[in-house]
Amino acid sequence: WSFTCKYRAESHMEVRFPPRPIVNCALGALRCCANVSPRCFVGCMHYGIFPSLDCLQGCLSRNLLRQPAKGTPPEIKAEWLMLDEPHSDSSRVILYLPGGGFVARDHTASVFAARVLARLAAKRQALPAILVLNYQLPAHPEHTKQEIEATIQWLRAQGFTDVLVAGDSAGGYLAVQTFLEQSHRICGAVGICPVLDFTLSNQSHTRNSQSCFLTRRFTRYAREQFLGVSSSDPTAEATARQHSLWISSIRTETGTPARPLFLVACEQDPLVDDVQNFAARAATGAVQVCSVQGEASFHISMLLPLLASKSHRNALDQMAEYIHQML
């Protein structure tokens, strides 16, 4: 076993914890739990693992400030994440939509904030704050959409003229969906390992079934909870296709090409084909895809504390550059 800790000025604390057998054992245990009882798996992740990872990240990035968002409408539950820096941008903001399969709430927003904002600090003096929307669970296509719309309207009322949406996994789906509608003139969107195809028919679901904690049984359970339809229902396939994100182009309401999306695809992720197929159907230049490959390239691995491979760092560098350009 070995443990190395490397301090990087541009990204603050990033730790590499190499023992692959430990990672494999952890993923195997999570797969067993998800297959035995998806409901228990959700509780374990929501109340145990995700909060623990959040606490760990808090110890690694002590310069990250968290403040509850005040003055929001009663239905909006959100918090601010920002670096302890003297200058903040009062007109630009990142709206982060956390993942968790639409049934739990992960706490990867703190890892996203610590690693991405630190990189942005090397590019600009005034940093955008990050507003994390803790939408109601289980999420619902229409209700969650209304929460996001109300949050964006509130941000506009606070003077934020430039809004970029970002999210991971289920939150990545919500971020991409919000951007595609373009009803709020979003500056850009970042989707980290997003679920984009609810039919669950892509080959990566089978190919990577043993390399990630996202088992087929859990993904079906999460889909049922979000869409409100059982997989055995005759209408399930049609409902899944209806809410999947299919595109042939990305255009604004004026008909001109919109700013591109930025999507992250992890090589060992069951959802990797979602991203690749989505990008293949898009117009040229409409989607930027960053691939995370090699060791520890499973679902949202780049947003887990203690995991920071070269491929992870490269993806984060590209993500920060995209956000810098869009904002």
Side-chain angles (χ1 to χ4, degrees), residues 195-210:
V195 51
L196 301 174
D197 186 352
F198 285 113
T199 66
L200 308 180
S201 58
N202 290 322
Q203 293 182 357
S204 57
H205 284 280
T206 301
R207 184 175 69 247
N208 295 332
S209 61
Q210 298 302 315

Side-chain angles (χ1 to χ4, degrees), residues 217-233:
R217 184 177 182 186
F218 170 73
T219 53
R220 287 186 176 276
Y221 170 81
R223 181 182 69 172
E224 290 177 353
Q225 297 300 306
F226 179 59
L227 300 181
V229 59
S230 173
S231 295
S232 60
D233 192 308

Side-chain angles (χ1 to χ4, degrees), residues 144-254:
T144 307
K145 179 180 177 181
Q146 292 173 5
E147 288 184 74
I148 295 172
E149 290 177 348
T151 303
I152 295 175
Q153 291 175 0
W154 179 78
L155 287 171
R156 299 291 192 197
Q158 305 308 304
F160 291 103
T161 56
D162 296 328
V163 180
L164 182 142
V165 289
D168 63 276
S169 193
Y173 167 85
L174 297 172
V176 173
Q177 180 189 53
T178 302
F179 178 79
L180 290 180
E181 293 179 350
Q182 284 294 326
S183 57
H184 300 284
R185 298 180 182 177
I186 301 300
C187 292
V190 173
I192 303 171
C193 302
V195 51
L196 301 174
D197 186 352
F198 285 113
T199 66
L200 308 180
S201 58
N202 290 322
Q203 293 182 357
S204 57
H205 284 280
T206 301
R207 184 175 69 247
N208 295 332
S209 61
Q210 298 302 315
S211 60
C212 185
F213 54 87
L214 285 183
T215 66
R216 196 165 187 81
R217 184 177 182 186
F218 170 73
T219 53
R220 287 186 176 276
Y221 170 81
R223 181 182 69 172
E224 290 177 353
Q225 297 300 306
F226 179 59
L227 300 181
V229 59
S230 173
S231 295
S232 60
D233 192 308
T235 64
E237 184 67 18
T239 303
R241 291 187 64 83
Q242 175 188 349
H243 291 280
S244 296
L245 299 180
W246 316 93
I247 65 169
S248 57
S249 63
I250 301 178
R251 296 184 178 277
T252 64
E253 58 189 17
T254 61

Side-chain angles (χ1 to χ4, degrees), residues 77-81 93-100 105-114 116-117 129-135 148 151-152 155 163-172 174-175 178 188-193 300 302-304 316 319 323:
K77 307 298 181 184
E79 65 174 342
W80 292 105
L81 295 180
V93 65
I94 299 172
L95 174 61
Y96 195 87
L97 307 171
R105 179 168 294 115
D106 68 32
H107 293 269
T108 53
S110 59
V111 184
F112 173 87
V116 171
L117 287 181
I130 296 178
L131 182 71
V132 183
L133 174 61
N134 295 320
Y135 49 85
I148 295 172
T151 303
I152 295 175
L155 287 171
V163 180
L164 182 142
V165 289
D168 63 276
S169 193
L174 297 172
T178 302
V190 173
I192 303 171
C193 302
I300 67 170
M302 63 181 296
L303 293 182
L304 297 180
L316 289 163
M319 187 185 305
I323 293 174

Side-chain angles (χ1 to χ4, degrees), residues 114-137:
R115 294 180 174 177
V116 171
L117 287 181
R119 285 169 164 81
L120 287 175
K123 301 176 180 294
R124 57 205 302 165
Q125 291 185 339
L127 296 179
I130 296 178
L131 182 71
V132 183
L133 174 61
N134 295 320
Y135 49 85
Q136 295 184 12
L137 297 174

Side-chain angles (χ1 to χ4, degrees), residues 41-61:
F41 175 71
V42 170
C44 176
M45 298 294 285
H46 184 78
Y47 296 106
I49 295 177
F50 285 144
S52 298
L53 293 177
D54 192 32
C55 291
L56 177 59
Q57 180 60 28
C59 295
L60 296 175
S61 53

